[in-house]
Amino acid sequence: MFDLSQASDVLSITEVDNFPVRGAANFANQADLREESLPFIVTIASDESGLRDAVAMRQAAYGRHLPDLAATLSEPETSDREPGSIVLVARARLDGAVIGTMRIQTNRYQALHLEDSAPLPDWLGDAALAEATRLGVVAGPVGRAVKTALFKAFYQYCLLSRIDWMVITARPPLHRQYEALMFVDVFPSQALIPMAHVGGIGHRVLALDVANARTRWQAAGHPLFGYMCLTHHPDLRLGMPAMDAPVAFDRSAPGEASVGAHLRDLSFGADAVGCVPAGYSLAV
């Protein structure tokens, strides 16, 4: 479950300076972006030690709100190592302490786990999907900042992985914050759906069209637009420069500048995430 706590906290913590609105092609040039350093670094858990650090953070965070479920989360789950899944870890720059985590599962190899409880409608049936689950962050303002950065990492991972829809489940009233982020309710006329992968608790299922998210945020003047699309965060370290090819840019793609970024294959099940050099920077 990808909880952002309270929408007002998320939006206030991600306010950035006003940027002039320019053509989308201009955003592919890194010089057009504001660069912002974070007090933490977000990476993909690439070994057992990193995964267990994420699991400890996950259990502690769930323990604050769902202690019964948290009691079952002391060990890595099968889903953490499945092909098509990655686990993000946020570590404080000061001492390397883990302060946040999120799992992203794609439907590259199998259906999303939420589909065990809620088969998706036809308009999502043939789409490339990614679900964010098992979010856990430290309490307080730092945790709210980490949540926002993890959401951006989720969004950029989906852009680079050519995902069509970001999908989440949320308990009321937390689902309203996703509606504020321009997610749409997948089952608007249905009651809450008990989700087996989050302890059988009733949730709403919401989805965001990845390709059109930037345009919609910009048109709406969304407070997250500058943070998500006009700011380069080098501390979101989800990729690496292509070492065997010249730097190339897709000048037609909006987003952060590319340095020939290619996602590393760091899922435990060898999820071959393919992407071409594009106008999004997750490279280090």
Side-chain angles (χ1 to χ4, degrees), residues 141-216:
V142 171
R144 293 194 290 271
V146 174
K147 289 176 190 179
T148 307
L150 287 172
F151 179 76
K152 177 170 180 174
F154 178 32
Y155 171 63
Q156 290 201 324
Y157 181 88
C158 289
L159 286 169
L160 287 171
S161 303
R162 296 174 179 164
I163 295 296
D164 299 316
W165 291 87
M166 301 164 66
V167 185
I168 61 92
T169 63
R171 293 175 288 121
L174 299 178
H175 71 288
R176 298 192 183 281
Q177 62 196 290
Y178 295 101
E179 293 175 343
L181 290 166
M182 313 199 85
F183 280 73
V184 296
D185 196 324
V186 176
F187 304 103
S189 61
Q190 291 190 22
L192 297 182
I193 302 172
M195 289 290 157
H197 67 316
V198 282
I201 300 170
H203 283 63
R204 303 225 64 88
V205 180
L206 298 102
L208 180 67
D209 180 353
V210 176
N212 292 316
R214 181 192 182 281
T215 300
R216 296 185 66 197

Side-chain angles (χ1 to χ4, degrees), residues 16-279:
V16 294
D17 294 342
N18 292 326
F19 288 85
V21 177
R22 291 167 286 185
N26 291 333
F27 295 134
N29 188 333
Q30 187 163 331
D32 291 330
L33 299 172
R34 167 182 176 169
E35 182 168 306
E36 181 178 78
S37 294
L38 300 171
F40 49 84
I41 298 168
V42 177
T43 60
I44 299 172
S46 58
D47 56 27
E48 190 68 17
S49 175
L51 177 59
R52 287 191 172 274
D53 285 345
V55 168
M57 177 74 261
R58 173 191 300 170
Q59 185 180 38
Y62 272 70
R64 296 196 299 267
H65 306 289
L66 300 169
D68 291 342
L69 179 58
T72 70
L73 300 178
S74 60
E75 293 291 324
E77 299 175 283
T78 301
S79 301
D80 293 324
R81 299 187 175 94
E82 287 175 340
S85 293
I86 63 167
V87 177
L88 302 181
V89 184
R91 294 182 183 272
R93 282 185 172 277
L94 180 64
D95 57 5
V98 176
I99 56 176
T101 182
M102 175 201 291
R103 183 171 68 221
I104 301 172
Q105 183 212 357
T106 72
N107 67 343
R108 184 180 300 274
Y109 298 105
Q110 59 186 348
L112 301 180
H113 293 303
L114 70 85
E115 295 185 68
D116 294 336
S117 305
L120 294 173
D122 290 343
W123 56 273
L124 290 175
D126 296 326
L129 308 175
E131 179 187 6
T133 61
R134 295 299 190 253
L135 176 74
V137 298
V138 295
V142 171
R144 293 194 290 271
V146 174
K147 289 176 190 179
T148 307
L150 287 172
F151 179 76
K152 177 170 180 174
F154 178 32
Y155 171 63
Q156 290 201 324
Y157 181 88
C158 289
L159 286 169
L160 287 171
S161 303
R162 296 174 179 164
I163 295 296
D164 299 316
W165 291 87
M166 301 164 66
V167 185
I168 61 92
T169 63
R171 293 175 288 121
L174 299 178
H175 71 288
R176 298 192 183 281
Q177 62 196 290
Y178 295 101
E179 293 175 343
L181 290 166
M182 313 199 85
F183 280 73
V184 296
D185 196 324
V186 176
F187 304 103
S189 61
Q190 291 190 22
L192 297 182
I193 302 172
M195 289 290 157
H197 67 316
V198 282
I201 300 170
H203 283 63
R204 303 225 64 88
V205 180
L206 298 102
L208 180 67
D209 180 353
V210 176
N212 292 316
R214 181 192 182 281
T215 300
R216 296 185 66 197
W217 289 332
Q218 183 177 9
H222 199 287
L224 275 176
F225 173 64
Y227 182 92
M228 296 290 289
C229 302
L230 304 182
T231 309
H232 172 52
H233 290 104
D235 298 312
L236 302 184
R237 303 184 179 183
L238 307 187
M240 62 183 298
M243 303 305 293
D244 55 354
V247 173
F249 297 93
D250 178 358
R251 296 291 179 184
S252 65
E256 290 193 18
S258 171
V259 289
H262 294 266
L263 287 184
R264 302 182 198 179
D265 178 13
L266 291 182
S267 65
F268 282 85
D271 176 18
V273 179
C275 73
V276 297

